[in-house]
Amino acid sequence: MSAVTGIHHVTAMASRPQANLDFYVGTLGMRLVKRSVNQDDPGTYHFFYADGAGTPGTDLTFFPWLHIAPPRRGSAEIAEVSLTVPVGSLSEWRARLTRAGVSDVTEATRFGERSLAFSDPDGLPVVLVESAASRDFTPWEGGGVGVSEQVRGLHAVRIRVRDLGPTRAVLTELLGLADAGQEDGWTRFAAAGGGPGTWVDVLETPDTPPARLGRGSIHHVAWRVPDDATQAQVRDALARAGLQPTPVIDRFWFRSVYFQEPGGTIFEIATDGPGFAVDEAPERLGETLVLPPWLEPHRSRIEAVLPPVELPMA
């Protein structure tokens, strides 16, 4: 059994906060389930996009820094995020993306599943993947996308490293993922028996220089654990392996442990709870700026430096 149960969330870096909102809420129809700030840089927003309830495993998050530099693609990089959509929905998604002015849409089949690849406004590689597999998902009525096409959650991430071996050891020996096949040089690993939201694909690129993070880069991928006890067990295993995990950090909506895997990318171990409804009514998620209690005394100063944003209309 995997130590982790799948992907909890993926966090990326953007530039203009309004453009980010317009794309993920207005174009992709995801729900903004939390409008907060980067807890390590409170003058920057932290947007959380997910399904209708903010279910763990459906959550794609962004730090939008207005003046962030462009990235350099390379090794030691979480290179792509994919999202699950229902079988038969890709033609509608292609039309929707075209109407939104997305010009780099390409279709392919990956590990037997039809997919649609494109870039977001900051150049982040995003893929929609059709899957009929069941998963925890709450529809969102306010997103302007019909339930038969809605994004179901995170599907997989793709990582490039210079040496597959050490990364494979962390994934399989410490996190409990299993080898799940190879395709076009990519090696797939699966948590909890596989399925959408459990996969990471890794490509070994020994001659590729390291990446440099920038706008349109993925900062880290967080792996799910059900509770604090499991998180402690995983953290202990990481520490014994010399990976220097951080202490447990309270993010208020979940608790986190971070470490750098040997390939150079940042992994997080995040608890499923307490969840996004701990400080907002479920029907009002994401409507206003929410701060964790330790930042609430600084609200006026934080609000003064954040640029104004508006939720796009469905």
Side-chain angles (χ1 to χ4, degrees):
M1 184 66 180
S2 302
V4 302
T5 60
I7 301 172
H8 184 280
H9 67 269
V10 171
T11 295
M13 302 157 73
S15 57
R16 296 164 296 153
Q18 187 63 57
N20 188 258
L21 275 169
D22 290 344
F23 187 77
Y24 286 95
V25 174
T27 300
L28 294 192
M30 300 178 76
R31 187 182 186 188
L32 180 68
V33 294
K34 195 63 63 179
R35 183 189 315 204
S36 192
V37 295
N38 183 330
Q39 294 180 20
D40 302 311
D41 179 15
T44 301
Y45 281 114
H46 194 177
F47 294 148
F48 296 75
Y49 306 111
D51 70 351
T55 306
T58 69
D59 194 19
L60 179 58
T61 95
F62 285 87
F63 301 136
W65 280 288
L66 282 171
H67 304 295
I68 189 172
R72 180 181 66 210
R73 305 301 185 188
S75 64
E77 180 180 31
I78 304 168
E80 175 193 282
V81 60
S82 59
L83 306 169
T84 306
V85 295
V87 170
S89 66
L90 285 190
S91 58
E92 175 57 35
W93 276 110
R94 178 184 281 276
R96 186 177 181 86
L97 291 165
T98 299
R99 290 194 299 269
V102 180
S103 60
D104 63 342
V105 181
T106 58
E107 190 166 344
T109 299
R110 296 180 173 186
F111 289 96
E113 297 175 315
R114 294 181 62 220
S115 67
L116 210 61
F118 54 94
S119 300
D120 83 352
D122 285 297
L124 173 67
V126 181
V127 181
L128 302 179
V129 184
E130 287 189 344
S131 176
S134 62
R135 61 181 300 165
D136 291 338
F137 165 72
T138 300
W140 170 229
E141 301 294 339
V145 176
V147 174
S148 60
E149 287 88 37
Q150 281 182 20
V151 171
R152 267 27 185 185
L154 297 165
H155 194 81
V157 291
R158 288 199 148 183
I159 296 174
R160 289 190 290 261
V161 298
R162 301 188 74 173
D163 184 359
L164 175 60
T167 297
R168 180 198 295 272
V170 168
L171 291 171
T172 60
E173 297 172 17
L174 299 179
L175 301 186
L177 278 69
D179 283 86
Q182 290 188 329
E183 182 180 80
D184 298 329
W186 293 91
T187 300
R188 170 160 284 191
F189 301 90
T198 73
W199 289 314
V200 54
D201 301 337
V202 185
L203 181 68
E204 186 176 68
T205 57
D207 300 320
T208 304
R212 181 186 63 227
L213 295 180
R215 60 177 179 264
S217 293
I218 295 173
H219 186 269
H220 64 269
V221 57
W223 296 98
R224 292 178 66 179
V225 289
D227 50 40
D228 295 333
T230 308
Q231 183 184 62
Q233 292 170 4
V234 175
R235 186 188 180 280
D236 288 347
L238 295 170
R240 289 195 300 270
L243 292 175
Q244 299 180 316
T246 67
V248 175
I249 299 173
D250 186 1
R251 296 304 190 193
F252 197 61
W253 309 291
F254 46 87
R255 284 169 289 280
S256 302
V257 169
Y258 301 86
F259 69 101
Q260 188 174 49
E261 57 86 21
T265 62
I266 300 173
F267 283 0
E268 176 183 348
I269 309 298
T271 58
D272 278 352
F276 292 116
V278 70
D279 56 357
E280 290 183 289
E283 66 273 13
R284 307 305 296 269
L285 293 177
E287 293 182 5
T288 59
L289 181 71
V290 173
L291 302 176
W294 52 90
L295 289 178
E296 191 61 49
H298 310 290
R299 174 176 287 271
S300 60
R301 188 170 62 194
I302 290 170
E303 289 181 334
V305 299
L306 291 172
V309 293
E310 295 182 0
L311 273 175
M313 299 295 293

